């Protein structure tokens, strides 16, 4: 297994890059997807979150209202700490289980984690950063995903800075251009990944 980290700020296009790497044969371990699975109705995480934050975080169809949770925790450090206490250990355990499953093969495994730089991890061969100017990220969040501009800027401000992420990068994917430009960047990244693979054989 060749284990690489993938991260980028909100609005960076990290999910698009993750999908493009998967299309090239990488196994993706997606922390966000795992979090969503563990927060499905009927899970321990869902029950503990409702107990802590109240029925107001449950939508009419019985699923989690993620925006309601975000509204609570982004303005309350204690609430955010409680959310992390409920969610993070379970997500970490599930990531560990999936990496253990993948470790028996010769796959390229991409650990897709939004806060990879903030949390740190020592067992990876390298870290791929999806990078762009925060102003472009704001425009895309507002124009393509319907974010309020103030909310978009606040979320970006709470994450690691662009400079900090780049300091941790072993490979930088520039997503400031067109979708075609991004595809070329991913191809360049895949060539780098294959060179790492060859070096380890």
């Amino acid at each position: 297994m060749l284990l690489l980290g993938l991260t980028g700020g909100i609005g960076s296009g990290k999910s698009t890059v993750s999908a493009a790497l998967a299309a090239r044969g990488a196994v993706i371990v997606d922390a966000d997807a795992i979090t969503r699975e563990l927060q499905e109705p009927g899970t321990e995480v869902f029950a503990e979150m409702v107990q802590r934050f109240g029925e107001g975080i449950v939508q009419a169809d019985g699923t989690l209202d993620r925006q309601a949770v975000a509204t609570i925790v982004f303005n309350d450090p204690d609430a955010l700490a409680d959310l992390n206490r409920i969610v993070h250990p379970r997500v970490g355990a599930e990531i560990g289980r999936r990496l253990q499953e993948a470790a028996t093969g010769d796959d390229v495994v991409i650990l897709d984690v939004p806060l990879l730089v903030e949390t740190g991890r020592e067992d990876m061969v390298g870290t791929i950063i999806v990078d762009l100017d925060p102003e472009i990220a704001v425009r895309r969040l507002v124009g393509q995903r319907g974010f309020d501009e103030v909310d978009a800027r606040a979320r970006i401000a709470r994450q690691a800075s662009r400079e900090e992420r780049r300091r941790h990068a072993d490979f930088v994917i520039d997503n400031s251009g067109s979708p075609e430009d991004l595809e070329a960047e991913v191809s360049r990244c895949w060539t780098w990944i294959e060179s790492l693979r060859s070096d380890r054989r």
Side-chain angles (χ1 to χ4, degrees), residues 1 11 27 33 41 45-46 70 78-79 85-86 95-96 107 114 122 125 129 164 171-172 178-179 184 188 190 197:
M1 174 179 74
V27 174
V45 170
F46 182 86
D78 291 337
R85 176 182 52 77
I86 294 167
I95 286 173
D107 291 317
E122 300 298 325
V125 174
I129 303 293
E164 188 177 356
F171 193 96
V172 175
S178 68
R188 191 172 64 87
W190 190 251
R197 216 173 179 182

Side-chain angles (χ1 to χ4, degrees), residues 12 17 128-133 136 140 162 166 171-179 181-186 188:
S12 66
V17 169
I128 302 162
I129 303 293
V130 186
D131 179 66
L132 78 171
D133 187 311
I136 298 175
R140 290 178 181 173
R162 183 185 189 187
R166 288 180 69 99
F171 193 96
V172 175
I173 291 178
D174 177 10
N175 189 20
S176 58
S178 68
D181 294 334
L182 180 59
E183 184 65 21
E185 285 287 290
V186 174
R188 191 172 64 87

